[in-house]
Amino acid sequence: MLPRGRPRAMGAVVLLLLLLVVGFFLFGRDPEYGLGTTATLDEKPYGSRNRSASSSQLLLPSKCEMLHVAIVCAGYNSSREIITLMKSLLFYRKNPLHLHLITDAIARNILETLFRTWMVPAVVVSFYDAEELKPLVSWIPNKHYSGLYGLMKLVLPSILPLSLARVIVLDTDVTFSSDIVELWALFDRFSGVILLWLDRLQQTGWEQMWKLTAKRELHTLTATSLADQDIFNAVLKEHPNLVHPLPCVWNVQLSDHTLAERCYLEAADLKVIHWNSPKKLRVKNKHAEFFRNLHLTFLGYDGKLLRRELFGCPNQFPPGAEQLQQALAQLDEEEPCFEFRQQQLTVHRVHITFLPHQPPPPRPYDVTLVAQLSMDRLQMLEALCRHWPGPMSLALYLTDAEAQQFLHFVETSPVLSARKDVAYHVVYQDGPLYPVNQLRNVALAQALTPYVFLSDIDFLPAYSLYDYLRASIEQLELGSRRKAALVVPAFETLHYRFSFPNSKAELLTLLDAGSLYTFRYHEWPQGHLSTDYSRWREAQAPYRVQWSADYEPYVVVPRDCPRYDPRFVGFGWNKVAHIIELDAQEYEFLVLPEAFSIHLPHAPSLDISRFRSSSTYRNCLQALKEEFHQDLSRRYGSAALKYLTALQQSRSRA
Amino acid sequence: MLPRGRPRAMGAVVLLLLLLVVGFFLFGRDPEYGLGTTATLDEKPYGSRNRSASSSQLLLPSKCEMLHVAIVCAGYNSSREIITLMKSLLFYRKNPLHLHLITDAIARNILETLFRTWMVPAVVVSFYDAEELKPLVSWIPNKHYSGLYGLMKLVLPSILPLSLARVIVLDTDVTFSSDIVELWALFDRFSGVILLWLDRLQQTGWEQMWKLTAKRELHTLTATSLADQDIFNAVLKEHPNLVHPLPCVWNVQLSDHTLAERCYLEAADLKVIHWNSPKKLRVKNKHAEFFRNLHLTFLGYDGKLLRRELFGCPNQFPPGAEQLQQALAQLDEEEPCFEFRQQQLTVHRVHITFLPHQPPPPRPYDVTLVAQLSMDRLQMLEALCRHWPGPMSLALYLTDAEAQQFLHFVETSPVLSARKDVAYHVVYQDGPLYPVNQLRNVALAQALTPYVFLSDIDFLPAYSLYDYLRASIEQLELGSRRKAALVVPAFETLHYRFSFPNSKAELLTLLDAGSLYTFRYHEWPQGHLSTDYSRWREAQAPYRVQWSADYEPYVVVPRDCPRYDPRFVGFGWNKVAHIIELDAQEYEFLVLPEAFSIHLPHAPSLDISRFRSSSTYRNCLQALKEEFHQDLSRRYGSAALKYLTALQQSRSRA
């Protein structure tokens, strides 16, 4: 479950928490806080928070003082790692936070979505482009591409706003076990120099200093590469007065076991754990266990619980949060469909491209398979990869803990870890009803090819489908000359193990032998009635079909197709409504003569079971359908009449 | 998800955290800590922990001082509630804890199992029988049966050991948001009186006092009932010097919103939240949200992460923990079957009878259906209840968060909440392989009838099976005269919806029509070969069959039958090994002519998928089989030879 074999941090002494500005401009060293002393800093800063702060507003962290944190974060893995740090930070914090995130384009894309959907009150996030800092450090020879991002910590002052007086700089691989305000309080020790930072007089001094040192190191020591920590260490060796070491509880490192043990045996309260030697997590040592459990605590922590306001501080609400709260407050809890209403309004945290991903090269007729799943369908992924060699965009509905299990699952599967063109988007669970259409929309929004195949996770496409679809799109001039949805006929097998047909001819043989059925032939024939399976048997060319009530084929459409209606949560009508939307927008339905996909057996979902057993559930779905039709009439006028008629007919049948 | 509509706490002012002894024997009131003052107690106790404690060992909580906590807990729901309290307590604590649990038989049974399997270091648990305290308080008229347990807090001193100097008494419905040592440190304020407790001089005083007050209240106020808090309040009114009010952060109550808000606006650090008005949790008020999130944090917290040692304190290991750690340390991580070995050694936390349960009345031929499941099979439960009207013992493999979803699922299902004869045992998830046989053993151990039907969750029994089995047991004199396993023939349907046959005749019709198959007819016929389905078709009376390789029928056996072999984790051979064990112990296999159960379709499990796709997985299973046979030979000698021969034959076929 834990990351294995990541590179060890470079320096033996990693000063993880840089009191960046102040920490390096302190004149005079306070012996009380040297490494290995027994003192802790609990008493003073904690107690002082609750005293009147009027006399020294700037120096003591007052109750609602904004704390500033800067983190350099680049790439998929760091974007995942930073979340655990954020959760531990937010869990213990009681102050407003301003996060200054220096990111590459990948991390920015991921983290912007995450923080927008996380909606944590009293957290401000600013992004800075790491590209701007690259020229400032790229002259330093470096072993890893990622080392460049480490070096950026040297030049942070040049990108952060001038108005920023103090900032705590964190690595992404740390876990807090205390309130960061206690660390912030350490700034108070250096009251004489804080203003120096404000007017940036010293900044020049610092820049000259580290550059000189770095150049000298490169010359005299014939170093082939320098990491940020090497430079910090060299500067500190030359200018010992500059540094104010943090009490070791603020940087309990796993790379140097002896030091760490001396630290925490003396100071009972750990503040920050630094995972700079993750390989050590696997040691079955009692202390490693303690650290690991703290880390796992936040790895699996349900991030939505951090959407809590601060007490007694003016709360800065994230965008949309207040409107959302009002909308939720207006819901009537006694209404029978309250659960549905609440679920529709829920904003799920979304972590797009949870795993490293290689976007597909731009190709004019390329198609992305779009689907959504939860934990109980993970076992479909390998087979799906074998059947669909093209790009995929998959939304996964998971808890935070399940996301880690999913990570482990992919890492231990040779088939899955070999595929970099599959993008996995984690939508975090919240609420009792499955938000099927919200999931589909997340996966759809992240598809990067001009066309999408809107499928379901229980289906395996024909082996040739990916190539055939691209050829068909080109041939039919889909998107450019023709507004059409290409229908992929759906079949099903009832057997756990069966040999997948290699061609339409083989499929028809199985169909005739009763080993395969057309999809939901027994339970819901109207869902695929319009596809006209008997015509498909004989068809040599694509043929157009007309919409009919409850039609829900699997289709290929341009990426800019209408979104799914998010009001449909749980079981029922979620695809039907989307197909109506396509028809209302005058998409032609063209059935492809060689395309097919096959549904594998599974147990009925919890939602379908609830649908069957609860009349309330069915009534709520009916109410949703009617509201959908009202909206449809508003938007499409009399053209929407046929859908309403169909609905009324189906109701009178029911 | 949250408990709804529980009764409100009785008193308006609920002094939740009773500093039981000292708190009530304090002479003189310290104005600094009155309700509504702005001071908090952070500075002193926290800081003092790290100073030398030699001068006042008894008074200051030294780093490794044992803290004592007493809780009265009775019944199924309180036993569930107390876990969330325990998790929050253990999460923040840094001291060894001694829990004094005053329980009824139900809570003791549940909590003994839980703490034994939880294996939290540096936690000692002592149980006291609440029955002993009943006579001391039962003379007080009381509204609820449960009120009696509340009143027991008045007489705790009479049951706790004499050697116990100080104890913090907690209600089960509180959540900690800080280290309990800070609360313990409040004892230091009362140094003069601690010794009074030790020699119990004052105890008599207290007993007389509260009894007098209670009697007077009953007389003069014509009260029809008194809760513990009413009596506390009355005593305090008469003897205001006795009480030392806790700072309000130590008892943030949701029953009195105004007071609570005044408290936490002034003191930023909340210490303990008291859920004495859980209805309020549903208010979409920003403060309620904060409280709720803290509560949910620990509700869903993975309890196994609390199996962490204390630093710098001599650790008291729970029974078995050290041996387990040694066994785990001896495993070779590079060995291909490491995951299997680790999973076999894993001790899962077990919460037996997670929901209220009515044990079946003792009946000589009664049968309990035994099965296990995880979250993705919840939808089977309602159908199972309809098919099996008798007692069931089900083990559920869940995360802590899923256990709450399960609770919600049962509460919102009329079918499930009506059934009190179904016992649900939660086994908490830990590790990547499904511990199928450990789960079965938990469910089997908790079956309370003389016979058990060892089934699987995907099967629905014939409607008549429960009655028929009891009649058959009686008729065949199973258990007393005959050592036999009654075989229930297994079938399967491949359709999601089908009409369940009401009789053997109907079943045979479906079988002939190809709507039903004998179980795993296509994939694994040897699993049920010995059952001899063609003989069963015609059979009018039970008939004996012989064991054959890979036989794994569903059987009815006496409750004291052999356990399942826990080495089989994940997919494969878990039932086969059990049937071999029965055969080796000379159980006759008797097929019942009118019994049947039918398997419903579902997707292949993650474990079966891994089995199919990974040769390592298959090799590990093979290794387990061979070890199992070695053990078998050791125990049964030459009688076990036939199983080994069968294994070798199957290997040469593979």
Side-chain angles (χ1 to χ4, degrees):
Chain A
M1 307 287 189
L2 288 159
R4 295 185 189 184
R6 290 184 309 170
R8 276 177 65 108
M10 296 86 176
V13 178
V14 179
L15 252 187
L16 149 75
L17 291 162
L18 299 171
L19 290 171
L20 183 67
V21 183
V22 181
F24 281 90
F25 291 91
L26 179 75
F27 297 91
R29 179 171 170 163
D30 185 346
E32 193 189 343
Y33 297 99
L35 277 159
T37 74
T38 59
T40 69
L41 288 166
D42 292 328
E43 313 143 67
K44 191 64 192 322
Y46 228 147
S48 60
R49 292 179 62 212
N50 298 305
R51 296 203 193 109
S52 163
S54 60
S55 61
S56 52
Q57 193 72 47
L58 199 81
L59 304 182
L60 300 176
S62 71
K63 197 176 151 201
C64 299
E65 181 175 334
M66 176 79 84
L67 313 187
H68 293 270
V69 174
I71 309 175
V72 180
C73 181
Y76 298 98
N77 292 332
S78 291
S79 298
R80 217 172 47 243
E81 204 172 57
I82 199 178
I83 318 268
T84 307
L85 158 60
M86 287 314 307
K87 287 190 205 169
S88 71
L89 180 60
L90 292 171
F91 181 80
Y92 293 106
R93 66 100 182 218
K94 297 194 185 75
N95 286 65
L97 291 175
H98 190 147
L99 305 175
H100 303 269
L101 303 181
I102 299 90
T103 52
D104 65 353
I106 290 166
R108 179 167 185 154
N109 190 25
I110 294 170
L111 296 176
E112 265 187 350
T113 309
L114 181 77
F115 280 105
R116 179 170 45 76
T117 54
W118 202 345
M119 298 184 126
V120 185
V123 170
V124 180
V125 187
S126 301
F127 288 93
Y128 306 86
D129 189 355
E131 288 300 317
E132 288 181 29
L133 292 179
K134 266 191 190 164
L136 302 179
V137 289
S138 55
W139 58 273
I140 306 165
N142 214 285
K143 270 180 192 143
H144 304 281
Y145 174 78
S146 72
L148 214 55
Y149 292 99
L151 288 168
M152 286 179 192
K153 280 184 287 189
L154 293 163
V155 293
L156 271 186
S158 65
I159 201 170
L160 293 174
L162 279 168
S163 59
L164 197 60
R166 305 185 274 186
V167 66
I168 293 173
V169 183
L170 298 176
D171 280 355
T172 53
D173 60 345
V174 303
T175 311
F176 273 82
S177 65
S178 62
D179 189 345
I180 194 171
V181 81
E182 298 178 36
L183 184 56
W184 189 260
L186 293 181
F187 277 120
D188 301 346
R189 303 269 161 188
F190 324 123
S191 49
V193 289
I194 286 171
L195 295 173
L196 290 182
W197 167 236
L198 283 172
D199 59 14
R200 297 217 166 197
L201 281 176
Q202 292 288 337
Q203 190 192 332
T204 332
W206 166 247
E207 262 190 48
Q208 285 175 339
M209 207 177 299
W210 77 257
K211 280 184 184 165
L212 261 169
T213 307
K215 283 171 183 163
R216 192 162 48 240
E217 288 284 304
L218 284 170
H219 274 285
T220 60
L221 300 175
T222 65
T224 57
S225 76
L226 280 178
D228 55 321
Q229 202 55 51
D230 300 326
I231 299 175
F232 279 125
N233 290 345
V235 176
L236 299 186
K237 214 168 70 190
E238 288 183 38
H239 309 275
N241 290 340
L242 274 182
V243 73
H244 175 90
L246 284 172
C248 63
V249 288
W250 285 106
N251 187 18
V252 176
Q253 296 177 53
L254 295 179
S255 59
D256 185 336
H257 187 65
T258 322
L259 180 64
E261 199 158 341
R262 206 176 68 206
C263 174
Y264 56 67
L265 277 175
E266 285 162 345
D269 284 4
L270 302 174
K271 308 294 188 185
V272 170
I273 315 291
H274 192 184
W275 296 99
N276 49 359
S277 176
K279 191 117 210 190
K280 292 227 172 175
L281 301 194
R282 301 190 65 223
V283 176
K284 283 175 295 301
N285 161 308
K286 58 180 179 170
H287 296 137
E289 182 107 70
F290 182 95
F291 296 134
R292 197 178 59 182
N293 284 2
L294 185 77
H295 181 73
L296 292 175
T297 289
F298 292 106
L299 208 59
Y301 189 76
D302 182 349
K304 78 163 180 289
L305 298 176
L306 296 163
R307 281 179 185 167
R308 55 186 185 190
E309 294 179 41
L310 302 184
F311 284 119
C313 297
N315 262 295
Q316 284 153 296
F317 283 98
E322 266 178 310
Q323 295 91 303
L324 185 66
Q325 234 170 25
Q326 277 163 15
L328 282 165
Q330 277 161 14
L331 294 182
D332 173 9
E333 293 187 21
E334 304 307 318
E335 206 238 312
C337 302
F338 171 70
E339 244 182 16
F340 281 77
R341 307 289 171 203
Q342 199 180 30
Q343 190 76 61
Q344 290 163 350
L345 287 172
T346 301
V347 176
H348 298 269
R349 266 176 310 140
V350 177
H351 188 146
I352 56 170
T353 48
F354 188 73
L355 299 181
H357 176 238
Q358 202 118 44
R363 279 188 296 230
Y365 308 108
D366 207 359
V367 193
T368 299
L369 186 150
V370 168
Q372 50 74 34
L373 65 152
S374 54
M375 209 60 189
D376 58 343
R377 292 294 190 277
L378 280 197
Q379 67 275 20
M380 287 299 295
L381 292 177
E382 289 196 0
L384 193 56
C385 281
R386 291 196 188 94
H387 281 254
W388 182 266
M392 295 194 246
S393 178
L394 305 175
L396 295 103
Y397 193 52
L398 305 176
T399 64
D400 291 72
E402 286 172 348
Q404 297 307 314
Q405 291 172 29
F406 165 67
L407 177 64
H408 178 75
F409 181 77
V410 173
E411 281 175 348
T412 54
S413 159
V415 176
L416 299 183
S417 45
R419 284 289 290 268
K420 298 296 176 214
D421 55 350
V422 181
Y424 301 100
H425 315 292
V426 175
V427 177
Y428 287 101
Q429 280 185 23
D430 188 0
L433 292 160
Y434 195 84
V436 53
N437 279 357
Q438 297 175 44
L439 291 168
R440 289 192 176 115
N441 285 341
V442 167
L444 181 51
Q446 297 301 322
L448 302 170
T449 55
Y451 302 93
V452 286
F453 171 34
L454 305 175
S455 187
D456 264 345
I457 195 68
D458 299 311
F459 279 87
L460 291 181
Y463 288 109
S464 59
L465 190 66
Y466 176 58
D467 289 337
Y468 175 61
L469 287 180
R470 286 182 300 157
S472 302
I473 290 164
E474 183 171 7
Q475 195 189 337
L476 293 166
E477 300 178 71
L478 183 62
S480 51
R481 281 203 30 215
R482 226 168 160 168
K483 194 172 174 187
L486 308 181
V487 174
V488 175
F491 297 83
E492 74 180 313
T493 169
L494 302 178
H495 290 276
Y496 301 86
R497 289 173 144 180
F498 88 117
S499 342
F500 200 95
N502 284 305
S503 64
K504 180 174 177 176
E506 279 186 35
L507 175 105
L508 293 177
T509 308
L510 291 170
L511 200 61
D512 293 336
S515 305
L516 281 182
Y517 299 90
T518 59
F519 185 55
R520 294 287 183 265
Y521 176 74
H522 300 89
E523 296 92 352
W524 182 248
Q526 65 268 49
H528 296 266
L529 192 67
S530 281
T531 297
D532 195 350
Y533 286 102
S534 21
R535 183 167 175 193
W536 184 80
R537 286 186 79 106
E538 313 298 334
Q540 301 290 327
Y543 57 94
R544 186 169 179 184
V545 296
Q546 297 301 320
W547 178 88
S548 62
D550 297 326
Y551 193 37
E552 49 175 0
Y554 296 94
V555 294
V556 177
V557 282
R559 185 176 56 172
D560 64 357
C561 71
R563 303 291 105 156
Y564 288 88
D565 191 321
R567 92 182 78 207
F568 293 101
V569 291
F571 170 80
W573 247 63
N574 39 66
K575 277 195 302 288
V576 173
H578 188 243
I579 293 295
I580 288 182
E581 193 73 51
L582 291 178
D583 188 59
Q585 294 194 16
E586 297 176 335
Y587 280 72
E588 286 179 56
F589 293 100
L590 296 173
V591 184
L592 296 178
E594 299 293 327
F596 63 87
S597 77
I598 301 179
H599 183 270
L600 301 192
H602 61 78
S605 69
L606 209 53
D607 279 294
I608 201 173
S609 306
R610 289 183 69 191
F611 171 83
R612 286 179 190 159
S613 70
S614 157
S615 62
T616 308
Y617 197 109
R618 291 192 297 273
N619 291 339
C620 293
L621 179 58
Q622 190 61 36
L624 298 185
K625 284 185 194 178
E626 282 164 21
E627 288 164 25
F628 170 77
H629 279 88
Q630 284 161 17
D631 288 352
L632 217 54
S633 302
R634 262 195 290 279
R635 282 185 293 137
Y636 300 105
S638 61
L641 198 62
K642 67 171 176 175
Y643 310 119
L644 194 60
T645 312
L647 180 73
Q648 281 158 350
Q649 281 168 353
S650 85
R651 198 169 28 185
S652 63
R653 276 197 309 272
Chain B
M1 307 287 189
L2 288 160
R4 296 184 188 183
R6 290 186 307 170
R8 278 176 65 107
M10 297 86 177
V13 178
V14 179
L15 252 188
L16 149 76
L17 291 162
L18 299 171
L19 289 172
L20 184 66
V21 184
V22 181
F24 281 90
F25 291 89
L26 178 75
F27 296 91
R29 179 171 170 163
D30 184 346
E32 194 188 342
Y33 296 100
L35 276 158
T37 75
T38 59
T40 68
L41 287 167
D42 291 329
E43 313 144 66
K44 192 63 190 323
Y46 229 149
S48 60
R49 294 180 59 214
N50 300 305
R51 296 205 193 106
S52 162
S54 60
S55 60
S56 51
Q57 194 71 48
L58 199 80
L59 304 181
L60 298 175
S62 72
K63 199 175 150 202
C64 300
E65 180 174 335
M66 177 78 84
L67 314 187
H68 293 270
V69 174
I71 309 174
V72 179
C73 181
Y76 298 98
N77 292 332
S78 291
S79 298
R80 218 171 46 242
E81 204 172 57
I82 199 178
I83 318 269
T84 307
L85 157 62
M86 287 315 307
K87 287 190 203 169
S88 70
L89 180 61
L90 293 171
F91 182 80
Y92 292 106
R93 67 98 183 220
K94 298 195 185 73
N95 286 66
L97 291 176
H98 191 148
L99 305 175
H100 303 270
L101 304 181
I102 298 90
T103 53
D104 65 352
I106 290 165
R108 178 165 185 156
N109 189 26
I110 294 170
L111 295 175
E112 265 187 350
T113 308
L114 181 76
F115 280 105
R116 179 171 45 76
T117 54
W118 201 346
M119 297 183 129
V120 185
V123 169
V124 181
V125 187
S126 302
F127 288 92
Y128 305 85
D129 189 355
E131 288 299 318
E132 288 182 27
L133 292 180
K134 266 190 191 165
L136 303 179
V137 288
S138 55
W139 57 274
I140 306 166
N142 214 285
K143 270 182 191 139
H144 304 283
Y145 173 77
S146 71
L148 212 55
Y149 292 100
L151 288 169
M152 286 180 191
K153 280 183 286 189
L154 291 164
V155 293
L156 272 185
S158 67
I159 201 171
L160 294 173
L162 278 168
S163 58
L164 197 60
R166 305 186 276 186
V167 67
I168 293 173
V169 183
L170 298 175
D171 279 358
T172 54
D173 60 345
V174 303
T175 311
F176 273 81
S177 65
S178 62
D179 189 345
I180 193 171
V181 81
E182 300 178 35
L183 183 55
W184 190 261
L186 294 181
F187 276 121
D188 301 345
R189 303 268 160 188
F190 325 121
S191 50
V193 288
I194 287 170
L195 295 173
L196 291 183
W197 167 237
L198 283 171
D199 59 14
R200 297 218 168 196
L201 280 176
Q202 293 287 338
Q203 190 191 332
T204 331
W206 166 248
E207 262 190 46
Q208 285 176 338
M209 209 178 297
W210 77 258
K211 281 184 185 166
L212 259 169
T213 307
K215 282 172 185 163
R216 192 161 46 241
E217 288 283 304
L218 285 170
H219 273 285
T220 59
L221 301 175
T222 63
T224 56
S225 75
L226 280 178
D228 55 321
Q229 202 55 50
D230 300 325
I231 299 176
F232 278 126
N233 290 345
V235 176
L236 299 186
K237 214 167 71 190
E238 288 183 36
H239 308 276
N241 290 340
L242 274 182
V243 73
H244 175 91
L246 284 172
C248 63
V249 289
W250 284 107
N251 188 17
V252 177
Q253 296 178 53
L254 295 180
S255 58
D256 185 336
H257 189 64
T258 322
L259 180 65
E261 198 157 343
R262 205 175 70 206
C263 173
Y264 56 67
L265 278 175
E266 286 164 345
D269 284 4
L270 302 174
K271 307 295 188 187
V272 170
I273 315 291
H274 192 185
W275 296 100
N276 49 359
S277 177
K279 190 116 212 196
K280 292 227 172 173
L281 301 192
R282 301 190 66 224
V283 176
K284 283 174 296 299
N285 162 307
K286 59 181 179 170
H287 296 136
E289 182 108 70
F290 182 95
F291 295 134
R292 195 178 59 181
N293 284 3
L294 184 77
H295 181 72
L296 292 175
T297 288
F298 292 105
L299 208 59
Y301 189 77
D302 182 349
K304 77 162 179 289
L305 298 175
L306 296 163
R307 279 179 186 168
R308 55 187 186 190
E309 293 180 41
L310 301 184
F311 283 120
C313 297
N315 262 296
Q316 283 153 297
F317 284 98
E322 267 179 310
Q323 296 89 305
L324 184 66
Q325 234 169 25
Q326 278 164 14
L328 281 165
Q330 277 162 13
L331 293 181
D332 173 9
E333 292 189 20
E334 305 307 317
E335 204 239 313
C337 303
F338 171 70
E339 243 181 17
F340 282 77
R341 307 289 172 205
Q342 201 179 29
Q343 190 76 62
Q344 290 162 349
L345 287 172
T346 300
V347 176
H348 298 269
R349 265 176 310 139
V350 176
H351 188 146
I352 56 170
T353 47
F354 189 71
L355 300 181
H357 177 239
Q358 202 117 46
R363 280 188 295 230
Y365 308 108
D366 207 359
V367 193
T368 298
L369 186 149
V370 168
Q372 49 75 33
L373 65 152
S374 53
M375 209 60 189
D376 58 343
R377 292 295 190 278
L378 280 197
Q379 67 274 19
M380 288 298 295
L381 292 177
E382 289 195 2
L384 192 56
C385 280
R386 289 196 191 94
H387 282 253
W388 182 267
M392 294 195 246
S393 177
L394 305 174
L396 295 103
Y397 193 51
L398 305 176
T399 64
D400 292 72
E402 286 172 348
Q404 297 307 314
Q405 291 171 30
F406 164 66
L407 177 64
H408 177 75
F409 181 77
V410 173
E411 282 175 348
T412 55
S413 158
V415 176
L416 299 183
S417 45
R419 284 289 290 268
K420 298 295 177 213
D421 56 348
V422 181
Y424 301 101
H425 315 292
V426 176
V427 177
Y428 287 101
Q429 280 185 22
D430 188 1
L433 292 161
Y434 195 84
V436 52
N437 279 358
Q438 295 174 45
L439 291 167
R440 288 194 178 114
N441 285 341
V442 167
L444 180 51
Q446 298 301 322
L448 303 171
T449 56
Y451 301 92
V452 286
F453 171 34
L454 305 175
S455 187
D456 264 346
I457 197 66
D458 300 310
F459 280 87
L460 291 182
Y463 288 109
S464 59
L465 190 65
Y466 176 57
D467 289 338
Y468 176 60
L469 287 179
R470 288 181 298 158
S472 301
I473 291 164
E474 184 171 7
Q475 195 189 335
L476 292 165
E477 300 179 71
L478 183 62
S480 51
R481 281 204 31 216
R482 227 168 159 168
K483 194 173 174 186
L486 308 181
V487 174
V488 176
F491 297 83
E492 74 181 313
T493 170
L494 302 177
H495 291 277
Y496 301 86
R497 287 173 146 181
F498 88 117
S499 36
F500 201 95
N502 284 304
S503 64
K504 180 175 177 178
E506 278 186 36
L507 176 106
L508 293 176
T509 308
L510 292 170
L511 199 62
D512 292 337
S515 307
L516 281 182
Y517 299 90
T518 60
F519 186 54
R520 294 286 182 266
Y521 175 75
H522 300 89
E523 295 94 351
W524 182 249
Q526 65 268 49
H528 295 266
L529 193 67
S530 281
T531 298
D532 194 350
Y533 287 101
S534 23
R535 183 167 174 194
W536 183 80
R537 286 186 78 108
E538 314 298 332
Q540 302 290 327
Y543 57 94
R544 187 169 179 183
V545 297
Q546 296 301 320
W547 177 88
S548 62
D550 297 325
Y551 193 38
E552 47 175 0
Y554 295 94
V555 294
V556 176
V557 282
R559 184 175 59 170
D560 65 356
C561 71
R563 304 290 105 158
Y564 288 88
D565 191 320
R567 91 182 79 207
F568 292 102
V569 290
F571 170 79
W573 247 63
N574 39 66
K575 276 194 304 287
V576 173
H578 189 243
I579 293 294
I580 287 181
E581 193 74 51
L582 291 179
D583 188 60
Q585 293 194 17
E586 298 177 334
Y587 279 73
E588 284 179 59
F589 294 100
L590 295 173
V591 183
L592 297 178
E594 299 293 328
F596 62 87
S597 77
I598 302 179
H599 183 270
L600 301 191
H602 60 79
S605 70
L606 208 54
D607 279 293
I608 201 173
S609 306
R610 290 183 69 191
F611 171 84
R612 286 180 189 158
S613 70
S614 158
S615 62
T616 308
Y617 198 109
R618 291 192 296 273
N619 291 339
C620 292
L621 180 58
Q622 190 60 38
L624 298 186
K625 285 185 195 178
E626 282 165 21
E627 287 165 25
F628 169 77
H629 279 88
Q630 284 161 17
D631 288 351
L632 218 53
S633 302
R634 260 195 292 278
R635 283 184 291 137
Y636 300 104
S638 61
L641 197 63
K642 66 172 177 176
Y643 310 118
L644 193 62
T645 312
L647 180 74
Q648 282 158 351
Q649 281 168 353
S650 86
R651 196 167 32 183
S652 64
R653 277 198 310 271

